[in-house]
Amino acid sequence: MMNNNKIANSSRIALLIAGFSLVAVLFTPIWRIELTAPQYPEGLTLLIHANKLSGSVDIINGLNHYIGMKTLHAIDFVEFKVLPGIILFFVGFFILSAILAGRKLMYTLFGLFVTFGVLAMADFWRWEYDYGHNLDPNAAIIVPGMAYQPPLIGFKQLLNFGAYSVPDTGGWIFIGAGLVLLGCVVLEWKKAKAGLQMKSALNLTIITLSATLLSSCSTEPVPIRIGKDNCDFCKMTISDNRFGAEIVTKKSKIYKFDDEHCIVRFLKEAKVAPEDIAGVYFIDFSSPNTLIDAKKAFFLESPDFKSPMNGNIAAFIHEDSLAKALPIFYGNAITWEDIQK
């Protein structure tokens, strides 16, 4: 049986490919900001790598100086010191998840990867905000109320410059790895859910079968349904909840009767072999919902009972109960052995 805590080989291969692809992020630009203006028809590009800036950095710094924006220097960015290590960490985590093939490990990787992506974008927005708002008050060109924050992603007009902010090669690789990881998580989650449902269904089936087998092998009496069950001897509907009897066989077959007369006749005609009988039970006259083992019951015979088939014998679970019934139903106390004679 396949271990439900392990991911499929297809997911492992996908994680390996995604993990190794992240290595390329160390050598390619992650993000790019493009600036276009009439005086720069060819455009200006700022490329952001894992550990440096490239592109038209000097020209952009020169232009930004006139409007009071900070000069861009890679040494000023702490992110460039830690980002390569974070990328290598995820490379290792992807590969480890593929090798160990643990579903929980993959879920942990997904949580960390998404968290890093959210924090990275938040940090990028924070940097852009500071870059575009924290201006030199002594700049040559000051436009009151104007800020020069580049767009987080997409297009934004900044004076006569159009600014585009989009992922570059490394960024798309990072996004692709995340999508692969998401796909693996969804597929494995569905597989695990299906496995749990199958397991639950299997457990329910086992429980049901066990209950069925136990009930089918039970030699305990079952309640007599007054007004619904028929007597197995006279075929009449059992209608008086003070009388009634039941035979349970060793094979769990149940025979129900509406009166002492019917069960005794049934036994004497040997409808069931004596050696096949597991127990004989009577309804407790004082407590109609209770069935008593005939060998432990106390019986009272009285014509005043007027039972359905005139057997006129009632069973009691306690001798005291029989004694209380005597003043009302005058008769004779007898035993199960007396009844069978």
Side-chain angles (χ1 to χ4, degrees), residues 209-220 248-254 278:
L209 288 174
S210 299
T212 302
L213 289 172
L214 287 172
S215 61
S216 65
C217 297
S218 173
T219 56
E220 294 296 315
V248 183
T249 70
K250 293 177 180 178
K251 293 183 179 180
S252 302
K253 174 68 176 176
I254 304 291

Side-chain angles (χ1 to χ4, degrees), residues 90-241:
F90 279 115
V91 170
F93 209 148
F94 267 86
I95 295 172
L96 183 66
S97 297
I99 294 173
L100 298 182
R103 181 173 286 109
K104 291 183 179 180
L105 186 63
M106 183 184 67
Y107 291 163
T108 302
L109 169 61
F110 178 72
L112 291 175
F113 201 78
V114 171
T115 300
F116 169 72
V118 172
L119 292 177
M121 293 304 292
D123 181 67
F124 185 37
W125 181 90
R126 179 200 59 78
W127 170 78
E128 287 186 322
Y129 182 89
D130 180 69
Y131 182 60
H133 286 79
N134 189 8
L135 306 176
D136 184 352
N138 299 313
I141 301 175
I142 297 177
V143 179
M146 183 66 187
Y148 303 96
Q149 179 181 356
L152 182 65
I153 187 168
F155 173 80
K156 187 176 183 179
Q157 188 70 36
L158 301 172
L159 295 180
N160 64 328
F161 278 88
Y164 295 87
S165 179
V166 291
D168 207 325
T169 305
W172 288 118
I173 292 174
F174 213 87
I175 293 170
L179 291 175
V180 169
L181 177 57
L182 175 62
C184 292
V185 167
V186 171
L187 289 174
E188 294 299 329
W189 177 79
K190 287 184 176 180
K191 186 177 73 174
K193 185 178 180 181
L196 287 174
Q197 291 175 341
M198 184 178 295
K199 185 177 180 180
S200 298
L202 180 61
N203 289 339
L204 181 60
T205 301
I206 292 172
I207 292 171
T208 303
L209 288 174
S210 299
T212 302
L213 289 172
L214 287 172
S215 61
S216 65
C217 297
S218 173
T219 56
E220 294 296 315
V222 298
I224 294 175
R225 300 175 300 170
I226 303 300
K228 294 183 179 180
D229 290 332
N230 294 328
C231 176
D232 281 294
F233 182 77
C234 70
K235 308 305 179 184
M236 300 289 288
T237 300
I238 302 174
S239 58
D240 195 328
N241 66 354

Side-chain angles (χ1 to χ4, degrees), residues 224 231 233-234 238 240 243-246 256-266 282 305-313:
I224 294 175
C231 176
F233 182 77
C234 70
I238 302 174
D240 195 328
F243 305 96
E246 194 173 284
K256 298 179 180 181
F257 308 91
D258 59 357
D259 189 292
E260 168 273 338
H261 169 80
C262 289
I263 190 172
V264 171
R265 289 287 302 277
F266 186 89
F282 280 82
F305 283 132
K306 302 186 185 315
S307 62
M309 300 304 292
N310 291 320
N312 297 329
I313 293 177

Side-chain angles (χ1 to χ4, degrees), residues 6 26 44 88 123 125 182 187 193 279 283 290 302 313 333:
K6 295 290 186 180
L26 295 170
L44 302 174
L88 288 174
D123 181 67
W125 181 90
L182 175 62
L187 289 174
K193 185 178 180 181
I283 288 179
T290 304
S302 171
I313 293 177

